[in-house]
Amino acid sequence: MTIIKEKITNTSNTLLKIMCALVCLFLGSFTSYAQNQPKVTADIDTTSIRIGEQIKYTILVDADSTAQVIFPEDQTFSPLEMVEALEIDTTKYKDRITLQRAYALTQFDSGAYTIPTQRIEVNGKAFFTDSLSVNVGTVKVDTLAQKMYDIKPLMVVEKSSTFPWLLVSIIIASLLLVIGLIYWFILRKKPLSEEEKIALLPPYDRAIIELKKLENSKYIIQDEYKEYYSELTTIVRSYLEEDVKISALESTTDQLITKLELLKDAGQLKLDNDTISQFKRVLQTADLVKFAKKKPETSVAEQDRVAISQIVEKTHEALPEPTEEELLKNEEYLEELARKKEKKKWIIAIATFVGALLIALGVLVKLYGFKTVKDTTFGHPVKELLESDWVQSSYGYPPVQIETPEVLVRQEITLPPEAQASIKDLQLFTYSSNNTLFSVSVSSSTFANPETEPNFNQVAEKALEQFEAAGTKNITTKQEEFNTFSKDTKGLKIYGSGKFKMPNSKELVNGEYALICFGGKGFQQQILVSYLADDEYAQKIVDRIFNSIEVKEDKKE
C-alpha cells in the first residue's frame, strides 16, 4: 500500500512538473508574441487652444525593425485642419524600432472638437489610435480698454488682372523700337557718301577722279613707291576690265598687252602702237617696283601717272559708241541691280523683325507657359469668361448669393401636375456657353408643406437622369460635405465625370460636373455646374463660384 502511494505521489509530481513546464512555455511564447506585436499611440501637446493656434499631434509606433509602417498623409484630422506633416523621427534599439511623426493642426472656429482615430498600417495590418478632444476658444476683445472707431468708408480698388500687361507693353515697345531701327538703318534711303557717289559714276569718270586723288597723295613724298604703283595699275586695270570688258585684273603684263593688241587688230579698239608701247613700259616699271623693289626717280613716277591718264583717255576715245540696244540692256541691268538691292533690304528687315518677335514670344512662353500665351494671343472662350467683369447677385427665395462671370437668366418653368401638389414654387436661373461645355444654374424651390425636409439624394438622381437624357455617357458620382466660405451653411456636394455632348454638336468629350444642395424645412436650393475636363480656366471659375456662395436660409418659427 505504501509503495502504491509513493508511486501515485511520484506520478503526481511528474504531471505537476509537466504542467508547470507547459504553462511556462505558454507564458514565454505569449510574452514573446506580445513583445513582437506593434504598439501604436497618439498624443497632443495641449487640449485647449485659441482660434488659429496650432496643436502638435504626435503618433508613436513601436514595432519590429523590419516592419513596414505607413502614416496618415492626407487631411484625415477633420474637423481640424492639417497645417504641416513633419518628417518621421526614427530610433532603433536592438531588433526594435520606434517611429515618431508629428502633425501641426489648427482650427479657425471656436468650439469643442474631437480629433478622430487615425489609421496606421504596419506590415499591411491596420492599427488605430484613440480619439482626442480639443477645445478651441475665442480671442477675448476688451472693448472698454480699446477705443472704438467708425467703420471706414469703401475704397475704390482697381480691378486686378492676371494678364501681364506691363511685360506685354515692354515687349511691344521693344518691337516698335526694333521696327524703327530696321527702317532707319535698312529701309531708309540714306544720303550717299562720297565713296558711294564715286562708285556710281561710269568707269571712265571714276578712273579720272581716282588718278587725281593719287596725284594728291603722299606716297611719293613718303617713298612709298610700291603702294603708289600698286594703286596706279589697279586703277587702270579696273577701268579696262569695266569699260573694255577684258580680264585685266587677273592678267600679267604680257597677257594684258597681248589682249589689247588682239582687240586693236580686230578693229574693236582703235589704239595706236605708241599708246600700247607706253602702257607696256609703265606696267613693266610697276612690276619692277612691286616685285624687284626698284626705286624710280620721282619725275619718272609722275610721268608714269600722267601716261596712265593719257592711256585711259585714249582708250575711252577709242571705244566705239554703245548702241541703243546696249544702252537699254545696261539700263535694265542697273534696274535689276536696284530691285535686288531693295529686295535684299526687305528680306533683312523681315528676318530681323521675325527674329525679335520670336525672342519676345520665347520670353512670354518661358514666363507664363505656352498654353497661356496661345490662349491670350488667339483667344479662349473660357479664359475670357474668367477674366471678364464678374457679377454678384442673389437668386430665388430663400436667396442664394453667388458670383458668376455672366448674369444668370431666369427660366420659365411649368411644373407638371404631379409635382404641383408637393412643390409650391420653383425658380431656375441659368447660363451656358454656346461654344464650350461650361454652364452654371441655380434653382430654389419651396415645398407646399412647410414641414417637408429636402431629399438631396433624390435631387442628385434627378440631375443624373437629366444628364443621361441629354446624351451624357459613363457618368461617375461621388459625394462629400460642402461648407460655404463663411461656414454659416452646410450642404451636400455631389460631383463626378462623364462623356458630355458639346453644344450644337454630337461630339462626346470628357467633362466634369458638381451639384451642391442646401435646404431646410420647407425649401431646398441647388447649384449645378458642368465644364470640360482638364480645363484649368473652367476649374478656376468653378472654384471662384463655390467660394462666393452664401445661402440665406429661411428660418421660420
Side-chain angles (χ1 to χ4, degrees), residues 97-113:
I97 186 171
T98 300
L99 303 175
Q100 178 179 301
R101 188 168 199 184
Y103 300 84
L105 310 179
T106 190
Q107 175 57 252
F108 296 96
D109 279 341
S110 60
Y113 298 93

Side-chain angles (χ1 to χ4, degrees), residues 134-148:
V134 177
N135 290 318
V136 181
T138 58
V139 179
K140 293 182 178 180
V141 179
D142 189 353
T143 58
L144 297 177
Q146 181 173 314
K147 187 178 178 180
M148 303 299 291

Side-chain angles (χ1 to χ4, degrees), residues 76-93:
T76 61
F77 302 93
S78 179
L80 272 71
E81 298 179 15
M82 183 180 75
V83 179
E84 182 183 13
L86 303 179
E87 295 294 330
I88 299 172
D89 187 11
T90 305
T91 304
K92 291 185 179 180
Y93 180 73

Side-chain angles (χ1 to χ4, degrees), residues 402-517:
I402 188 173
E403 191 177 350
T404 55
E406 298 287 345
V407 177
L408 305 186
V409 180
R410 180 190 292 271
Q411 304 296 321
E412 295 296 332
I413 301 296
T414 302
L415 291 173
E418 61 272 14
Q420 292 177 0
S422 58
I423 298 178
K424 180 181 178 181
D425 183 39
L426 174 62
Q427 299 181 56
L428 177 64
F429 306 84
T430 65
Y431 167 79
S432 60
S433 176
N434 293 326
N435 50 6
T436 68
L437 192 60
F438 180 78
S439 67
V440 56
S441 64
V442 176
S443 66
S444 178
S445 57
T446 54
F447 302 132
N449 184 358
E451 297 300 320
T452 303
E453 293 284 351
N455 188 337
F456 295 151
N457 290 328
Q458 187 178 2
V459 172
E461 290 176 4
K462 291 292 184 183
L464 295 178
E465 288 176 2
Q466 292 176 0
F467 279 143
E468 291 176 350
T472 306
K473 307 292 184 183
N474 303 332
I475 302 175
T476 64
T477 180
K478 300 177 184 178
Q479 67 179 38
E480 63 183 27
E481 185 181 279
F482 180 85
N483 294 329
T484 59
F485 185 73
S486 63
K487 298 190 177 179
D488 291 335
T489 308
K490 294 183 178 180
L492 182 66
K493 179 180 179 182
I494 299 100
Y495 61 100
S497 60
K499 291 281 189 178
F500 289 77
K501 275 189 177 181
M502 287 291 289
N504 306 318
S505 173
K506 295 182 179 180
E507 179 188 3
L508 290 176
V509 295
N510 293 325
E512 297 183 9
Y513 72 92
L515 172 66
I516 299 177
C517 303

Side-chain angles (χ1 to χ4, degrees), residues 508-548:
L508 290 176
V509 295
N510 293 325
E512 297 183 9
Y513 72 92
L515 172 66
I516 299 177
C517 303
F518 303 97
K521 283 187 177 181
F523 73 96
Q524 69 178 14
Q525 301 146 321
Q526 294 92 237
I527 301 170
L528 176 64
V529 295
S530 62
Y531 53 96
L532 196 66
D534 300 325
D535 187 340
E536 60 182 43
Y537 307 121
Q539 187 61 57
K540 290 179 180 178
I541 291 177
V542 172
D543 292 342
R544 183 172 173 181
I545 290 174
F546 287 174
N547 289 333
S548 70

